Amino acid sequence: MAVPVEIRGDTFPGSVYAQAPQNVYWETTIACDLDCKHCRADANPNRHPLELSFEQGKELMRSVKAMGSLMVLTGGDPMKREDIFDLMSFGREIKLPMAVTPSTTPLLTRDIIAKFRDLNMAAMGVSLDGPSAEVHDSFRKVTGTFARSMLALDAAREFKLPVQVNTSITTETIPHLQALYELLRDQATPPVRRWSLFLLVPVGRGVELGLPSALQVEQLFGWVYSISAQAPFHVSTVEAPHYRRFFIQRKLEEGIPREQLQKMARKMGFGVRDGNGVIFVSHLGEVYPAGFLPYPLLGNVKDRPISEIYRDSPALQELRDAHRLKGRCGRCEFKWVCGGSRARAYGMLQDPFQEDPLCAFYP
């Protein structure tokens, strides 16, 4: 289905994404007490001696504040940093919008979640990869993580802290999505505000997991579209920008005018993809287009502000140019709206400009 050029992503020269990202993901530490099958970072229980210091972290936060972006404190497990609450307090002091994605270990207690609320966290990320301990704990490889995730949801409800539930999409988890949706639906008011489905990118330990086929992903999109109409929370896809293509196709088939679709561009994240609207800072200060796209190395915030790296990097400017995409992505009329997962193209085809292997659409 051809899409008129009026339906665009915010990816053209001079756009807001060329100047500043929506989200900056800071891997505050590599340390984590879990051993998850899908871990991008190959996390281990110990902190790295060369992680960003407290002062370097504060400087990063100032730069993110100047860009007007949201900072997501991630890991590893942010709770493994002894100064994490000092960093959050500094963020609150400078009025930096922040979210946090702690690991569901014994370090994540009711009192800790209360602190998140007191420190103005915009949201807390909680991982759930299955509707039961049998499924989730097997995926996380630590007994008790499902119970701790549910306790985290209970505490977030008590303190009225919004939650984003993160679910990894693999052949192992797909059969349980309907049951997990029903579980989250019953937990939704509050705290669940967003359910993010992370379509597997084979990096880190994730190379050992089952990757869905492009057809299975297309069927997944149909299911996401069907539940989104009645879900009490927003259902989103991560590293699956081709859901936007699916969404637009369905809306056009339903007779929605393209002008109305254009108004949905920002809400639906049209144009946002690795290195364009998001950026990742490692525990060492290294800057990459995204956490799942560790290539190329763009610089280090120990040497230059994240704002300069994001805005001026020639490699990022190339990555944002959809005319450079190859294969089906390069021929696709949706390339400015979608652009495919650059991380998956790199992870599977060793070229960040190649087509997304998990897209079933043929232009």
Side-chain angles (χ1 to χ4, degrees):
M1 176 184 297
V3 174
V5 295
E6 288 86 357
I7 301 177
R8 304 185 305 270
D10 293 296
T11 52
F12 299 101
S15 75
V16 63
Y17 300 134
Q19 300 302 311
Q22 288 186 338
N23 297 338
V24 176
Y25 294 87
W26 176 22
E27 181 186 64
T28 56
T29 179
I30 197 69
C32 181
D33 293 327
L34 297 181
D35 188 27
C36 303
K37 291 182 179 180
H38 70 296
C39 184
R40 161 199 58 76
D42 283 328
N44 64 78
N46 303 311
R47 292 184 60 187
H48 194 287
L50 298 181
E51 286 175 0
L52 290 183
S53 68
F54 178 65
E55 292 300 325
Q56 289 167 335
K58 287 169 62 178
E59 188 57 37
L60 171 61
M61 297 171 89
R62 290 189 190 98
S63 185
V64 174
K65 167 63 178 176
M67 289 193 296
S69 306
L70 170 74
M71 170 167 272
V72 182
L73 303 171
T74 182
D77 181 7
M79 297 301 99
K80 296 283 280 187
R81 277 193 73 124
E82 295 81 0
D83 59 0
I84 192 65
F85 288 113
D86 294 326
L87 288 165
M88 290 179 176
S89 295
F90 177 74
R92 181 181 61 174
E93 178 184 327
I94 65 173
K95 296 181 171 56
L96 170 66
M98 295 176 291
V100 61
T101 58
S103 298
T104 48
T105 74
L107 295 177
L108 185 64
T109 65
R110 175 182 175 278
D111 290 342
I112 292 295
I113 293 173
K115 283 187 178 181
F116 293 161
R117 188 272 315 272
D118 294 341
L119 289 167
N120 295 340
M121 293 296 107
M124 175 180 68
V126 173
S127 294
L128 270 177
D129 296 299
S132 66
E134 179 183 7
V135 177
H136 179 80
D137 289 2
S138 172
F139 197 80
R140 296 281 159 174
K141 297 174 70 175
V142 175
T143 301
T145 53
F146 177 80
R148 281 191 282 272
S149 291
M150 299 308 293
L151 288 173
L153 289 180
D154 289 340
R157 179 180 301 103
E158 178 183 354
F159 298 117
K160 296 181 172 57
L161 179 66
V163 168
Q164 173 177 307
V165 172
N166 301 319
T167 299
S168 300
I169 302 301
T170 71
T171 53
E172 184 177 340
T173 60
I174 281 179
H176 306 286
L177 288 179
Q178 179 63 34
L180 180 54
Y181 165 68
E182 292 170 3
L183 174 68
L184 295 179
R185 182 185 59 197
D186 296 338
Q187 297 280 334
T189 312
V192 180
R193 301 290 179 82
R194 177 184 290 266
W195 186 23
S196 289
L197 306 176
F198 282 70
L199 186 56
L200 179 67
V201 175
V203 297
R205 298 188 195 122
V207 297
E208 301 175 2
L209 294 179
L211 198 66
S213 68
L215 178 59
Q216 286 176 308
V217 171
E218 199 77 359
Q219 293 169 340
L220 171 70
F221 288 167
W223 178 77
V224 169
Y225 189 87
S226 67
I227 67 166
S228 293
Q230 68 266 8
F233 40 74
H234 180 67
V235 184
S236 63
T237 58
V238 180
E239 289 299 346
H242 41 313
Y243 178 70
R244 302 166 198 157
R245 179 266 306 164
F246 184 94
F247 176 87
I248 290 171
Q249 288 178 307
R250 291 294 294 268
K251 290 301 180 186
L252 290 175
E253 290 169 0
E254 294 168 7
I256 302 298
R258 59 179 180 269
E259 295 81 6
Q260 185 175 338
L261 285 173
Q262 184 63 54
K263 292 178 181 178
M264 298 179 183
R266 294 301 298 277
K267 179 181 177 182
M268 292 296 298
F270 289 0
V272 176
R273 58 182 181 274
D274 303 321
N276 193 68
V278 297
I279 198 73
F280 177 82
V281 182
S282 82
H283 60 291
L284 302 177
E286 302 158 328
V287 181
Y288 296 100
F292 290 95
L293 180 53
Y295 175 87
L297 173 61
L298 304 168
N300 195 301
V301 297
K302 296 177 182 178
D303 305 319
R304 294 178 65 202
I306 184 68
S307 53
E308 291 183 13
I309 296 173
Y310 181 85
R311 184 181 61 245
D312 301 334
S313 168
L316 278 185
Q317 292 170 8
E318 291 181 0
L319 199 61
R320 294 175 193 140
D321 184 359
H323 291 306
R324 293 179 176 269
L325 300 181
K326 303 174 184 177
R328 287 179 294 130
C329 284
R331 299 192 303 272
C332 186
E333 57 266 35
F334 295 93
K335 61 187 174 185
W336 289 103
V337 172
C338 166
S341 170
R342 300 300 94 220
R344 190 172 301 105
Y346 179 72
M348 297 180 67
L349 302 175
Q350 291 72 57
D351 183 348
F353 295 96
Q354 262 295 353
E355 64 184 49
D356 187 336
L358 293 196
C359 181
F361 180 67
Y362 282 81

